[in-house]
Structure formats: structure tokens, C-alpha cells
Amino acid sequence: MSIKKGIYSASMSILNDDLSLDVDSTIKHAEKVIDDGCHGAVLFGSTGMAQLISSSEKKKLLDKINKSRFKDNFLIGTGSNSLKENIHLMKHSIANGIDRFLIMPPAYYKYNDDGVYAFYSNIIQQVPKCKIILYNFEKLSGYAFNVKIIEKLVNDFPNQILGVKDSSYNLYETLKIPNFLIFPGSEVKLLKGLKLGNSGIISAICN
């Protein structure tokens, strides 16, 4: 299923009293924001506390979300610094019918454009059926995407690298790639972005 233009909620993860993931409530909330007018929802992004949710809990949600009537409107954030853990979760998601992902480069560690290219190319080699929205958020990852590296990734992986969520706001005004999806990370940028040819937004405020 392709990734569509529109307004996406950076959906929340809801926790039980013991701090485990409340799978049913998390899915119901994501479905509700779509019922209320969003075009889709991203699960396990930064608002979804991706780095704090265990892989086993994420897999439980993916096993259940397969039955959601809004399955085609969801994107999954993999939310791990581990290359192999990202790949494992993506394969599990695809097995459950969702091949659309929001993926940020690893946090904390320092790297350059070559490291970012290697990270995504390794993912794509292992999961060639994936569709990826790059997650540009320097405050969280320590790395800011630039036009040159995105152009290289799109040129080499045109069937997998389909767009970017720009939460650093250094791309949405200047990046110009035909048919490439651009989603600023704030509703404040929505109208300006649409005038510039952007594809919508992915925003926590949409919760």
C-alpha cells in the first residue's frame, strides 16, 4: 500500500499502571484520530515513546493491528538504535500487512552522511519490500538530513525512500524531488508547506 498525502497524527502510546504497553487502548486511540478526520496515524514515533517500548510489546501491537479497519492508514516507527532490531520489527510488521515505516537514524551516537547512507541501505537490503519516510529530527538523533544525502538515497532506492518527516525544518522549504513526500512535523508549518508543494504534516498536536 502506498503512503498517501495528508494530515497524520504522531500517535501516542498508552501505558498500563505497571508501565507496560496498553495495546488495545493504543490502537483504539490511533483509530479514533482517523475517525475524527486525520488521514492516518504514525505509531511508535517520538510521541509514541518508541525508544521506551520493548520490541516484544511492539510485536504484540502489530499482531493485533492487522485486524484494524484502518490498517492501510497506519505508519510504523521502528524506534530502535539497533540495525538488526529495526529490521526484525519491520519484517514482523510486513508479515502483518503494514509495509510503511517512519525511521530515524540512531540517536546518541555521532556519524556523518556516509553512516546514514549505510544505515538505510542495510535496512533496505534486508527488507526490500519496505516503504520509508525518513525522520529528520536533529534534537533527538543528533543528525540533520541535508538535501544531498536525501537525493542520493532517493536516487539509489526510489522504490523504498518515499518521503521525509521534517521536524528540524531545514528541508521543507528547499527540498525539491518529484513525487517525494514532505511532511513538516508541526501544524504551524501546514499552510506554508502546502503552498510550497509539501504533502501534509505529521504532528503530535493531531492527537
Side-chain angles (χ1 to χ4, degrees), residues 8-12 40-43 45-48 165 202-207:
Y8 287 78
S9 167
S11 197
M12 298 185 293
V42 179
L43 292 150
S46 50
T47 303
K165 177 185 178 184
I202 301 174
S203 172
I205 295 297
C206 294
N207 283 290

Side-chain angles (χ1 to χ4, degrees), residues 80-194:
S80 175
N81 287 350
S82 166
L83 177 67
K84 289 189 175 182
E85 191 168 307
N86 280 313
I87 290 168
H88 183 68
L89 190 67
M90 291 170 73
K91 288 181 176 179
H92 194 84
S93 182
I94 289 173
N96 279 285
I98 301 178
D99 61 357
R100 304 168 302 279
F101 303 97
L102 175 70
I103 305 179
M104 183 187 292
Y108 181 78
Y109 299 97
K110 300 297 181 184
Y111 45 84
N112 56 20
D113 289 353
D114 291 338
V116 169
Y117 183 87
F119 178 73
Y120 288 98
S121 62
N122 272 287
I123 287 175
I124 292 166
Q125 287 168 21
Q126 294 295 316
V127 195
K129 293 182 179 180
C130 67
K131 296 176 176 63
I132 296 173
I133 299 293
L134 305 169
Y135 193 177
N136 182 41
F137 200 175
E138 185 179 12
K139 287 182 179 179
L140 291 187
S141 69
Y143 172 83
F145 281 89
N146 57 71
V147 171
K148 183 178 179 181
I149 186 61
I150 291 181
E151 289 177 339
K152 182 177 181 181
L153 284 165
V154 173
N155 182 67
D156 292 351
F157 307 108
N159 296 320
Q160 291 88 15
I161 305 295
L162 303 186
V164 62
K165 177 185 178 184
D166 185 16
S167 292
S168 290
Y169 311 119
N170 63 314
L171 298 170
Y172 81 103
E173 295 180 276
T174 57
L175 184 62
K176 303 294 181 183
I177 300 175
N179 302 314
F180 189 72
L181 300 165
I182 301 175
F183 299 99
S186 169
E187 68 290 341
V188 176
K189 311 292 185 183
L190 176 60
L191 294 180
K192 181 178 181 180
L194 291 175

Side-chain angles (χ1 to χ4, degrees), residues 3-8 39-40 179-181 183 197-201:
I3 301 173
K4 299 178 180 179
K5 297 179 179 182
I7 294 174
Y8 287 78
H39 297 92
N179 302 314
F180 189 72
L181 300 165
F183 299 99
N198 289 184
S199 308
I201 55 169

Side-chain angles (χ1 to χ4, degrees), residues 56-93:
S56 61
E57 291 173 303
K58 292 175 184 175
K59 286 164 65 177
K60 287 179 182 177
L61 182 140
L62 290 170
D63 290 338
K64 280 206 168 186
I65 211 168
N66 184 35
K67 301 175 180 64
S68 172
R69 68 191 189 280
F70 290 124
K71 183 174 72 172
D72 292 340
N73 301 83
F74 292 133
L75 279 76
I76 303 299
T78 54
S80 175
N81 287 350
S82 166
L83 177 67
K84 289 189 175 182
E85 191 168 307
N86 280 313
I87 290 168
H88 183 68
L89 190 67
M90 291 170 73
K91 288 181 176 179
H92 194 84
S93 182

